[in-house]
Amino acid sequence: MKALILVGGYGTRLRPLTLSVPKPLVEFCNKPILLHQVEALVKAGVNHVILAVSYMSELLEREMRAQEERLGIRISLSHEKEPLGTAGPLALARELLTDNAEPFFVLNSDVICEFPFEDMLRFHKHHGKEGTIVVTKVEEPSKYGVVVYEAESGRIHRFVEKPQVFVSNKINAGMYIFSPSMLNRIQLRPTSIEKEIFPVMAQEGHLYAMELQGFWMDIGQPKDFLTGMCMYLQSLRQQGPEKLRTGPGFLGNVLVDPTAQIGENCTIGPNVTLGAGVVLEDGVRIKRCTVLKGARVRSHSWLESCIIGWSSSVGQWVRMENVTVLGEDVIVNDELYLNGANVLPHKSITDSVPEPRIIM
Amino acid sequence: MLKTVILIGGPQKGTRFRPLSFEVPKPLFPVAGVPMLQHHIEACAKVPNMKEILLIGFYQPNEELTRFLSYAQQEFKIPVRYLQEYAALGTGGGIYHFRDQILSGGPEAFFIMNADVCSEFPLPEMLDFQKEHGDTHSFVMLGTTANRKQSMNYGCIVENQQTNEVLHYVEKPSTFVSDIINCGIYLFTPEIFQHIGAVFQKNQQDMLLEEQTNGWQRAEVIRLEQDIFTALAGQGKLYVYKTDRFWSQIKSAGSAIYASRLYLNQYHKTHPERLATNRDGGPKISGNVYIHPTANIDPTAVLGPNVSIGTGVTIGAGVRVRESIILHGATLQDHSCVLNSIVGWDSTIGRWARVEGTPSDPNPNDPYAKIDSETLFRDGKLTPSITILGCNVNIPSEVIILNSIVLPHKDLNRSFKNQIIL
């Protein structure tokens, strides 16, 4: 079975992290974002993953070769020379997707959830039409495009963009399974699958909705990355609590790489992820943060809602909060206060940032 | 013999020093670990032939002041008395009212100083200068150089550069007059009372002519600066001794931190025993730090530069304090961080909390810059300044209090920035 992942471009929404590492390789809860999806696909029986990319990265190619080996599957990169939207890449990969008659998965790359690929396949085969999209419940449907469908069968009636009166609280979760015949609907030109393809399929009775159980988050920007981390760790608490760190000094859900080092009198959590080789010195207070590989937080600092980039160093008695994101190899001097700072890679910060801003 | 009069003002003055002046008369606020006034008294007590120090002001007698007076007399072996004005009489009116007390015993000269200045007090130099300038009854004021812009916030002095005679004096002019400013420290001979007396007489006559239209005005209210110096300038009576040693006003609470820095630095010469040093089992000291012997400080704390820790203060593990004054009985819990702040008496700062202000130091690249004791608000916004916690304020764990003023007896429950918390 095959899957196409819409990786897309430079991942600008997740800058400054994506200035150093292609978005699919940015670690989310100590695993590259892409691998969360790929591993779940493999578990559901997928043996060929096609990444639709609009820019080529040697780092990504090299990493995918390694993952092919590790997972024993095939990973292809399908490179679009011009942006093709969300449907065009399917046409570009047509030959790879149609060398057999099996249905294939299509995913947006920023989505994190308990991936229901086996359920999708079963549901799709059961209704027997061309497409199935996964939908998820949201609190404020007026901010999104919602899906109106038959509760019993899942057959989609229509899509409504930012509804002003309540029609549905289910939105497209960015995960699909299609039969190969669906590709006849798509031409090799920039096309939106959501706006141009799905409404037609729905009208013809060929599109079904399956409701997602559990959490769902688009982690394409730092604020949502952190929210998604909280959800993921909570789901880990239920699915695999042995992976979470507990004991004195740990509060709530905390994920710690075995090679991370933690000093004395720290209080960590809830909702913290510490990557490989991370060092927290004595007396650090950290909550709702991701600390990426090789970063160091020096003693007595206080961090909340931050992403600390690879190999960055945060000084002593630093306070950082409000979705402060440090790019790779950033140095924050002692005793500073960073409030919502977005710091580009390889910067040395010598002055406090009392109000949110970008540090070039 | 010599005497000194220190003008200490009263409770309605020094509002820029709130909320700290709610708890203690401003002249007794600790600067570099000791009451502001003690620096004056110590300097006076060192002057040979100084026989008495008089404090004039309009505070009701209070326990704090009484205790300080008896301490100072014992410590410096000199009579120190408080003379209470029946009303605020101004800088000239107060000394005129108490002229008999000042002149009793027949001093040939006496110093007058404002309590809210911080200075190296070059008093022997002023005495020598007085003997060499003008006649035997000449008056001396201490002056220092300011930059052009800031000079206009002070009394400005124009001198004869050969003789150092004061040719012109104007208080807080609206345009530039001179970059030599009045330091609020004077050396007078008893003859000064003739000049103040003349103003008093004139005030009385003016009031008779005005037929009580200004019923609230008193003939006794006389200001040295506007009423006396302005008239004496150019009369061959008043001379300016210019100092290039440290000097600052202490108007706002922010300037108390700056004044502490100046005095702590002076301790290297005058009181090295008051400066904390790095030693086994003690906290890490960086720069000039004063720690009261009764303070209890964890060895993993890092203090300084410019930190003063009062009596009975408790400082926990991994605490950082820089450019701050911690008043008696305060508690700083583990990992907290206090920068550019004054922490009030018996206040508590929770674990990992951060209390931070913005320093209002003079421009370090301008040797003549002075501290700006600005108003609290500019363009309707609170000017970022040092953070001040009044007495008995509780700051919870893990919050930040930034550029804020917290009035006494408050329990905060969240972070605050750029606010006055009533």
Side-chain angles (χ1 to χ4, degrees):
Chain A
M1 229 182 354
K2 298 188 179 59
L4 180 119
I5 302 178
L6 298 162
V7 172
Y10 294 96
T12 55
R13 291 190 307 156
L14 205 54
R15 282 180 181 166
L17 301 176
T18 46
L19 290 171
S20 303
V21 169
K23 186 175 67 177
L25 299 184
V26 172
E27 299 98 324
F28 173 82
C29 297
N30 286 348
K31 186 190 288 188
I33 295 174
L34 186 68
L35 286 192
H36 285 274
Q37 302 169 330
V38 171
E39 287 180 6
L41 288 166
V42 171
K43 225 170 135 196
V46 169
N47 53 15
H48 184 186
V49 175
I50 301 146
L51 305 183
V53 294
S54 63
Y55 84 112
M56 289 304 277
S57 141
E58 254 180 62
L59 192 59
L60 183 61
E61 282 183 79
R62 208 170 336 122
E63 181 59 28
M64 289 308 104
R65 295 292 84 82
Q67 292 302 330
E68 279 187 316
E69 187 102 343
R70 186 177 74 91
L71 298 165
I73 60 163
R74 190 178 159 202
I75 302 177
S76 316
L77 272 72
S78 170
H79 181 211
E80 50 196 280
K81 303 283 186 290
E82 53 160 339
L84 292 174
T86 46
L90 276 71
L92 188 66
R94 185 188 310 269
E95 277 176 28
L96 293 170
L97 293 169
T98 52
D99 64 354
N100 63 37
E102 275 185 286
F104 59 89
F105 293 101
V106 174
L107 310 180
N108 285 343
S109 66
D110 298 340
V111 164
I112 236 47
C113 63
E114 289 166 22
F115 294 103
F117 298 130
E118 279 152 323
D119 292 344
M120 283 167 76
L121 183 61
R122 213 172 297 123
F123 180 85
H124 185 72
K125 284 187 168 158
H126 182 255
H127 68 67
K129 303 292 185 190
E130 275 184 1
T132 299
I133 75 176
V134 178
V135 296
T136 186
K137 194 152 93 182
V138 292
E139 284 183 1
E140 296 183 58
S142 52
K143 285 193 210 164
Y144 305 85
V146 299
V147 185
V148 182
Y149 62 93
E150 224 164 69
E152 201 89 326
S153 66
R155 203 185 136 214
I156 295 176
H157 294 299
R158 59 194 169 105
F159 295 87
V160 184
E161 212 29 60
K162 300 193 169 66
Q164 294 308 298
V165 286
F166 183 91
V167 285
S168 163
N169 58 4
K170 307 293 192 304
I171 65 162
N172 178 348
M175 293 178 282
Y176 324 117
I177 184 166
F178 299 123
S179 303
S181 60
M182 175 269 189
L183 288 172
N184 300 331
R185 301 174 178 276
I186 302 174
Q187 284 156 7
L188 186 57
R189 59 173 173 82
T191 311
S192 161
I193 200 167
E194 297 88 353
K195 294 202 169 72
E196 299 174 58
I197 309 297
F198 286 167
V200 181
M201 288 175 74
Q203 209 164 25
E204 295 173 7
H206 267 293
L207 200 57
Y208 279 70
M210 181 186 105
E211 193 184 339
L212 182 68
Q213 305 302 312
F215 79 98
W216 176 87
M217 196 71 208
D218 178 332
I219 56 168
Q221 43 193 344
K223 183 175 173 285
D224 299 333
F225 184 96
L226 289 170
T227 306
M229 174 190 71
C230 299
M231 292 172 162
Y232 179 89
L233 294 181
Q234 182 57 29
S235 138
L236 210 54
R237 159 81 48 206
Q238 270 121 41
Q239 311 293 330
E242 71 286 349
K243 293 185 182 124
L244 294 174
R245 184 78 173 261
T246 51
F250 293 91
L251 300 175
N253 303 326
V254 178
L255 182 63
V256 181
D257 186 277
T259 61
Q261 296 172 48
I262 294 166
E264 287 174 18
N265 300 316
C266 292
T267 304
I268 300 170
N271 300 311
V272 169
T273 303
L274 304 180
V278 163
V279 178
L280 299 189
E281 293 185 2
D282 297 346
V284 168
R285 176 74 183 100
I286 183 169
K287 48 188 177 183
R288 206 171 185 276
C289 287
T290 288
V291 186
L292 295 170
K293 202 186 296 176
R296 172 180 284 261
V297 180
R298 304 206 50 216
S299 41
H300 314 299
S301 284
W302 185 96
L303 288 77
E304 181 178 40
S305 297
C306 300
I307 304 175
I308 311 300
W310 307 273
S311 308
S312 284
S313 177
V314 175
Q316 301 185 76
W317 289 289
V318 166
R319 182 186 178 98
M320 303 203 319
E321 60 185 334
N322 195 18
V323 199
T324 285
V325 184
L326 306 185
E328 182 190 14
D329 180 37
V330 166
I331 295 170
V332 179
N333 282 10
D334 290 350
E335 298 164 26
L336 297 183
Y337 171 48
L338 303 189
N339 174 22
N342 239 300
V343 187
L344 271 59
H346 312 294
K347 280 293 287 187
S348 190
I349 305 289
T350 54
D351 290 303
S352 288
V353 182
E355 295 303 327
R357 70 188 186 92
I358 295 162
I359 312 292
M360 290 289 281
Chain B
M1 67 173 281
L2 297 167
K3 289 193 183 188
T4 297
V5 176
I6 307 176
L7 305 172
I8 65 169
Q12 291 85 32
K13 297 282 178 179
T15 54
R16 275 181 285 179
F17 215 71
R18 287 175 180 171
L20 300 166
S21 51
F22 287 141
E23 311 301 325
V24 63
K26 176 178 152 183
L28 298 183
F29 186 81
V31 175
V34 305
M36 205 182 283
L37 269 182
Q38 191 172 321
H39 298 284
H40 298 62
I41 292 173
E42 195 177 331
C44 293
K46 279 187 196 151
V47 175
N49 217 16
M50 183 68 67
K51 294 296 182 213
E52 189 179 39
I53 296 170
L54 299 170
L55 312 184
I56 296 181
F58 46 98
Y59 287 100
Q60 292 295 323
N62 60 70
E63 202 192 316
E64 292 254 15
L65 195 56
T66 312
R67 205 169 338 116
F68 174 72
L69 291 176
S70 71
Y71 164 80
Q73 300 202 66
Q74 279 183 1
E75 180 70 25
F76 301 105
K77 312 278 186 291
I78 188 168
V80 184
R81 287 194 294 140
Y82 174 50
L83 305 176
Q84 188 194 348
E85 296 165 83
Y86 58 90
L89 297 178
T91 47
I95 60 173
Y96 188 69
H97 182 76
F98 289 113
R99 61 192 181 279
D100 293 345
Q101 302 265 9
I102 296 168
L103 295 177
S104 82
E108 59 263 23
F110 53 92
F111 289 99
I112 303 281
M113 26 183 101
N114 287 297
D116 59 1
V117 297
C118 146
S119 170
E120 219 174 289
F121 298 109
L123 307 181
E125 291 86 341
M126 288 174 75
L127 283 165
D128 291 345
F129 179 89
Q130 196 265 346
K131 293 194 180 75
E132 294 158 7
H133 292 77
D135 62 26
T136 50
H137 300 295
S138 64
F139 313 129
V140 179
M141 59 200 309
L142 184 66
T144 194
T145 307
N147 66 33
R148 284 180 70 100
K149 185 162 165 270
Q150 289 180 321
S151 68
M152 299 188 296
N153 300 324
Y154 296 88
C156 293
I157 301 162
V158 180
E159 64 162 349
N160 176 324
Q161 293 193 352
Q162 270 78 50
T163 64
N164 302 119
E165 190 202 335
V166 176
L167 298 178
H168 182 71
Y169 182 88
V170 56
E171 188 68 16
K172 298 189 180 73
S174 57
T175 54
F176 176 73
V177 172
S178 165
D179 59 0
I180 304 170
I181 60 166
N182 175 5
C183 293
I185 298 171
Y186 320 113
L187 177 60
F188 290 152
T189 55
E191 201 185 304
I192 193 73
F193 291 121
Q194 294 173 26
H195 298 278
I196 304 177
V199 172
F200 176 63
Q201 305 283 329
K202 184 172 172 297
N203 283 357
Q204 278 190 319
Q205 283 164 12
D206 288 353
M207 284 177 66
L208 284 174
L209 291 175
E210 282 176 26
E211 293 178 359
Q212 305 287 316
T213 45
N214 283 325
W216 51 273
Q217 210 173 10
R218 293 172 188 274
E220 299 93 313
V221 175
I222 299 166
R223 300 158 303 176
L224 277 180
E225 299 80 9
Q226 289 95 326
D227 299 329
I228 308 296
F229 296 154
T230 304
L232 282 177
Q235 305 290 313
K237 285 277 167 207
L238 185 60
Y239 292 82
V240 56
Y241 172 75
K242 288 176 293 177
T243 181
D244 55 1
R245 314 313 289 267
F246 75 80
W247 177 86
S248 176
Q249 275 188 327
I250 312 180
K251 291 288 187 196
S252 64
S255 53
I257 292 181
Y258 177 62
S260 271
R261 186 189 313 155
L262 299 175
Y263 279 134
L264 285 173
N265 197 37
Q266 192 194 25
Y267 285 170
H268 284 287
K269 275 189 290 177
T270 58
H271 286 287
E273 78 287 355
R274 286 186 190 163
L275 292 171
T277 50
N278 283 297
R279 54 188 171 72
D280 286 345
K284 182 160 185 286
I285 304 296
S286 137
N288 297 332
V289 174
Y290 169 84
I291 301 174
H292 193 274
T294 58
N296 181 10
I297 299 175
D298 190 279
T300 60
V302 180
L303 311 178
N306 187 20
V307 167
S308 308
I309 309 277
T311 51
V313 165
T314 303
I315 294 188
V319 168
R320 179 74 179 105
V321 186
R322 171 162 60 83
E323 295 285 344
S324 294
I325 297 174
I326 313 298
L327 296 167
H328 72 71
T331 300
L332 276 49
Q333 294 180 353
D334 296 357
H335 317 293
S336 60
C337 180
V338 177
L339 310 173
N340 305 307
S341 299
I342 296 176
V343 176
W345 304 270
D346 299 316
S347 286
T348 300
I349 295 176
R351 284 152 49 98
W352 282 294
R354 182 182 180 97
V355 174
E356 179 176 12
T358 300
S360 45
D361 289 0
N363 178 358
N365 301 317
D366 175 356
Y368 300 126
K370 304 282 175 279
I371 193 160
D372 277 319
S373 296
E374 295 181 347
T375 48
L376 281 175
F377 293 90
R378 197 196 301 147
D379 306 328
K381 273 189 177 160
L382 189 62
T383 327
S385 68
I386 66 156
T387 284
I388 304 165
L389 308 183
C391 159
N392 188 25
V393 165
N394 282 306
I395 305 296
S397 292
E398 303 193 24
V399 302
I400 179 168
I401 308 296
L402 184 65
N403 302 337
S404 292
I405 297 171
V406 187
L407 270 61
H409 310 292
K410 285 294 286 187
D411 284 344
L412 302 188
N413 53 14
R414 60 174 176 92
S415 293
F416 287 92
K417 295 177 187 175
N418 309 307
Q419 278 190 51
I420 297 175
I421 300 139
L422 288 175

